[in-house]
């Protein structure tokens, strides 16, 4: 069946770096190579932070994380010390592409786009993302769509159970199963649903990078020469290429197709224990130092003598204890900028355990966002320019770690993902530069002859 109606199809591949897809393995991916030969394509700059949540929503709203008020998977909901709350679809207060199109009466299909749980009404249908608790509850719109999803996929998979695991065989098997089910469902919906806009996001690339990066990258500190998994990621890319080839057979020149990723990936050299560093530098004080490695939210903090604390993740977030803002704040508001600048200077001078500089970057939210809604972190930290991750737990007795505290992990995120855009009129592959993920939403709306909201931050890709 060939679709004969002008429309847009977006395939999202979470965490695909241009270095692997365009520069290293393209000749072994015939379907993607053929598509690129007739497309505009290139690297695509992600949000700061370069992480799944909020990046996909910034891409689909063309609004930066500050405008969205979403600074990561978890965010402060108040200035007390109760920890962070998980963001979900109810936190997205800026129109998405599919929301705009739905209001205009255009039909949409959305599968697996991060931050779509709980499902919201659309003019069409929606299957939510890996952030959905499980498939026992409601994860589709309309709710009755769930039976069809389960039947077509023979048991839908939202995510692999645990990709940070030493059980590599199980992880690999689950990644393939998840990807197969999602592409099978996607092709079924392409054929069976009425749609003008269709978007599917596959999480498999992100999971396989985190689980298997060290096996192919000879520069990785934990590289395992000659492992049977040395081609695990390449073979998965070849499998993706086959799925993409089968799927794209269903379109003709009237369908603009986009392949996009929310960020890239790179080797993880190690971790910086952000709260250990704050302890050692006198900014954080605990009632008791733990006898074993302990998550920060399980510690008893001496808040009346604490100036700052941090969160773990692929990037670091640092929060300051400000008088009149936090319940037991100690930093006088007039000293806030002085202390913050002092922290930036010290963080950017961080060294590895051998005394070598690691080129850490620190951002003030108001310097990188058009506005700051919700409660932003006081500082956002790229340890070692994202070659190092942030470790939030305490008890290591050192600021350096050679492993993630939430499980084995080989890769961190990188700032640049990929885009490939084929709209039927492109007959020669042209590699573009300077594209950001904020450009995707206005490009889609422009192609569909829909007025672009004035507050979208990106531009139409020309």
């Amino acid at each position: 069946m060939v679709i004969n109606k002008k429309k847009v199809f977006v395939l999202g591949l979470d965490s695909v770096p241009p270095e692997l897809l365009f520069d290293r393995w393209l000749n072994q991916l015939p379907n993607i190579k053929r598509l690129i030969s007739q497309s505009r394509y290139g690297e695509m700059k992600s949000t700061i932070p370069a992480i799944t949540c909020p990046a996909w929503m910034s891409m689909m709203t063309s609004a930066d994380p500050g405008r969205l008020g979403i600074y990561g998977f978890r965010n402060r909901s108040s200035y007390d010390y109760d920890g962070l709350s998980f963001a979900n679809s109810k936190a997205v207060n800026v129109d998405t592409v599919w929301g705009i199109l739905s209001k205009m009466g255009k039909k949409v299909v959305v599968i697996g786009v991060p931050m779509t749980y709980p499902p919201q009404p659309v003019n069409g249908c929606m299957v939510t993302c890996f952030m959905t608790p499980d498939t026992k509850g409601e994860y589709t719109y309309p709710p009755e769509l769930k039976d069809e999803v389960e039947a077509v996929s023979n048991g839908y998979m939202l995510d692999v159970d645990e990709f940070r695991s030493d059980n590599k065989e199980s992880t690999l098997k689950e990644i393939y199963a998840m990807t197969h089910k999602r592409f099978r469902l996607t092709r079924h919906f392409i054929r069976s649903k009425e749609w003008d806009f269709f978007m599917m996001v596959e999480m498999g690339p992100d999971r396989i990078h985190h689980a298997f990066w060290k096996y192919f990258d000879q520069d990785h500190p934990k590289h395992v020469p000659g492992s049977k998994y040395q081609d695990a990621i390449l073979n998965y890319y070849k499998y993706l290429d086959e799925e993409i080839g089968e799927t794209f057979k269903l379109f003709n020149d009237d369908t603009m197709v986009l392949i996009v990723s929310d960020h890239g990936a790179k080797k993880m050299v190690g971790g910086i224990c952000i709260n250990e560093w704050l302890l050692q530098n006198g900014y954080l004080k605990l009632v008791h130092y733990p006898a074993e490695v302990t998550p920060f939210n399980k510690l008893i903090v001496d808040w009346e003598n604490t100036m700052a604390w941090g969160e773990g993740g692929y990037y670091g977030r640092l929060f300051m204890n400000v008088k009149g803002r936090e319940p037991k704040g100690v930093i006088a508001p007039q000293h806030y900028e002085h202390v913050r600048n002092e922290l930036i200077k010290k963080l950017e001078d961080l060294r590895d355990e051998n005394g070598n500089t690691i080129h850490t970057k620190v951002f003030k939210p108001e310097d990188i966002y058009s506005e700051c809604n919700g409660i932003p972190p006081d500082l956002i930290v790229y340890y070692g320019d994202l070659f190092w991750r942030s470790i939030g737990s305490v008890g290591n007795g050192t600021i350096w770690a050679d492993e993630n505290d939430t499980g084995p992990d080989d890769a961190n995120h990188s700032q640049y993902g990929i885009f490939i855009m084929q709209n039927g009129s492109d007959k020669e592959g042209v590699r573009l530069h300077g594209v950001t993920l904020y450009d995707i939403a206005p490009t889609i709306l422009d192609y569909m002859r829909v007025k672009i909201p004035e507050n979208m931050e990106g531009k139409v890709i020309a």
Side-chain angles (χ1 to χ4, degrees):
M1 176 182 178
V2 174
I3 311 301
N4 288 309
K5 186 178 177 184
K6 192 165 188 172
K7 45 185 74 175
V8 173
F9 178 86
V10 182
L11 171 62
L13 300 175
D14 198 282
S15 184
V16 170
E19 300 85 8
L20 293 190
L21 189 67
F22 298 146
D23 303 327
R24 183 162 179 156
W25 290 334
L26 186 60
N27 285 336
Q28 299 178 71
L29 309 171
N31 291 302
I32 297 174
K33 185 176 182 180
R34 183 165 52 252
L35 179 69
I36 283 176
S37 71
Q38 300 175 345
S39 298
R40 280 164 279 179
Y41 70 100
E43 63 181 26
M44 183 166 73
K45 190 174 184 179
S46 182
T47 48
I48 297 174
I51 191 166
T52 300
C53 175
W56 284 110
M57 276 300 149
S58 283
M59 189 192 301
M60 287 295 108
T61 60
S62 197
D64 65 39
R67 269 183 63 206
L68 292 174
I70 301 168
Y71 304 94
F73 282 92
R74 298 177 303 140
N75 297 272
R76 293 184 83 178
S77 53
S78 72
Y79 280 107
D80 60 23
Y81 309 115
D82 289 343
L84 308 178
S85 302
F86 275 99
N88 62 30
S89 64
K90 294 180 179 177
V92 181
N93 296 315
V94 180
D95 273 342
T96 58
V97 165
W98 57 81
I100 293 170
L101 296 174
S102 287
K103 290 175 184 174
M104 298 184 64
K106 292 187 178 295
K107 288 287 189 179
V108 304
V109 177
V110 179
I111 300 175
V113 182
M115 288 198 70
T116 50
Y117 177 82
Q120 304 292 315
V122 293
N123 186 34
C125 58
M126 173 180 285
V127 179
T128 61
C129 64
F130 75 102
M131 297 166 72
T132 308
D134 55 52
T135 55
K136 296 176 184 173
E138 192 172 290
Y139 69 94
T140 66
Y141 179 85
E144 56 269 24
L145 183 70
K146 176 179 173 179
D147 291 340
E148 183 178 351
V149 173
E150 290 291 325
V152 170
S153 61
N154 192 27
Y156 192 65
M157 287 179 66
L158 296 157
D159 199 356
V160 297
D161 279 344
E162 182 49 80
F163 60 91
R164 297 190 187 97
S165 164
D166 286 324
N167 190 343
K168 300 301 181 186
E169 282 300 312
S170 174
T171 300
L172 198 58
K173 184 178 178 182
E174 286 199 34
I175 290 171
Y176 273 88
M178 173 180 68
T179 303
H180 171 74
K181 289 173 184 288
R182 193 126 49 227
F183 271 98
R184 182 183 175 92
L185 178 68
T186 294
R187 287 194 287 270
H188 169 74
F189 278 0
I190 289 171
R191 295 185 181 99
S192 63
K193 305 298 182 189
E194 183 184 357
W195 57 275
D196 300 289
F197 172 80
F198 195 124
M199 182 171 183
M200 180 272 258
V201 172
E202 174 53 41
M203 293 301 297
D206 181 85
R207 293 350 189 186
I208 205 163
H209 291 153
H210 287 300
F212 293 93
W213 192 281
K214 68 183 177 188
Y215 298 107
F216 87 91
D217 185 350
Q218 296 181 7
D219 294 328
H220 194 288
K222 294 185 177 179
H223 176 61
V224 182
S227 167
K228 68 176 182 179
Y229 299 119
Q230 65 182 0
D231 293 325
I233 297 179
L234 170 59
N235 288 336
Y236 177 74
Y237 272 56
K238 290 178 179 177
Y239 169 66
L240 275 179
D241 185 75
E242 293 172 7
E243 291 281 15
I244 289 169
E246 287 300 306
T247 304
F248 283 24
K249 285 178 183 174
L250 302 175
F251 308 131
N252 62 17
D253 284 352
D254 290 333
T255 303
M256 182 171 84
V257 296
L258 285 151
I259 300 179
V260 290
S261 64
D262 56 333
H263 54 76
K266 59 167 67 173
K267 66 181 177 184
M268 185 189 298
V269 172
I272 297 292
C273 303
I274 185 169
N275 288 309
E276 295 278 2
W277 183 86
L278 290 167
L279 280 165
Q280 292 186 16
N281 284 272
Y283 294 102
L284 170 63
K285 187 167 184 181
L286 303 178
V287 175
H288 302 290
Y289 188 84
E292 57 187 16
V293 176
T294 304
F296 185 77
N297 62 4
K298 304 292 185 186
L299 301 169
I300 301 175
V301 179
D302 178 2
W303 290 111
E304 293 176 342
N305 289 290
T306 286
M307 300 176 74
W309 73 100
E311 280 289 326
Y314 294 118
Y315 64 109
R317 279 182 288 177
L318 194 144
F319 303 103
M320 294 167 63
N321 198 22
V322 181
K323 191 176 293 184
R325 193 182 77 174
E326 273 76 14
K328 297 180 180 178
V330 298
I331 301 172
Q334 63 269 31
H335 297 151
Y336 175 79
E337 278 305 320
H338 172 77
V339 176
R340 194 159 67 144
N341 289 331
E342 178 183 278
L343 283 163
I344 292 172
K345 186 176 180 181
K346 290 182 178 180
L347 287 164
E348 290 186 338
D349 192 43
L350 261 172
R351 308 298 171 107
D352 65 15
E353 55 268 61
N354 297 314
N356 302 309
T357 185
I358 60 173
H359 305 293
T360 292
K361 297 179 180 178
V362 187
F363 307 95
K364 294 179 179 178
E366 69 271 22
D367 289 345
I368 56 175
Y369 303 137
S370 56
E371 57 187 276
C372 292
N373 294 315
I375 302 179
D378 293 289
L379 293 172
I380 296 170
V381 187
Y382 276 13
Y383 288 114
D385 195 18
L386 293 176
F387 282 108
W388 295 68
R389 68 165 285 141
S390 176
I391 304 289
S393 57
V394 174
N396 290 292
T398 173
I399 68 169
W400 302 285
D402 60 6
E403 188 55 274
N404 184 356
D405 59 346
T406 58
D409 201 333
D410 296 353
N412 208 350
H413 293 181
S414 60
Q415 193 62 49
Y416 287 86
I418 59 107
F419 82 97
I420 303 168
M421 184 178 75
Q422 213 286 329
N423 68 5
S425 61
D426 296 323
K427 297 303 178 188
E428 294 183 2
V430 178
R431 191 163 185 167
L432 301 180
H433 301 281
V435 172
T436 79
L437 59 67
Y438 302 113
D439 299 336
I440 298 300
T443 299
I444 293 168
L445 296 179
D446 179 72
Y447 180 79
M448 299 184 78
R449 303 291 186 265
V450 174
K451 184 180 180 183
I452 301 168
E454 292 182 357
N455 59 359
M456 281 195 166
E457 297 175 30
K459 62 184 185 304
V460 176
I461 300 171

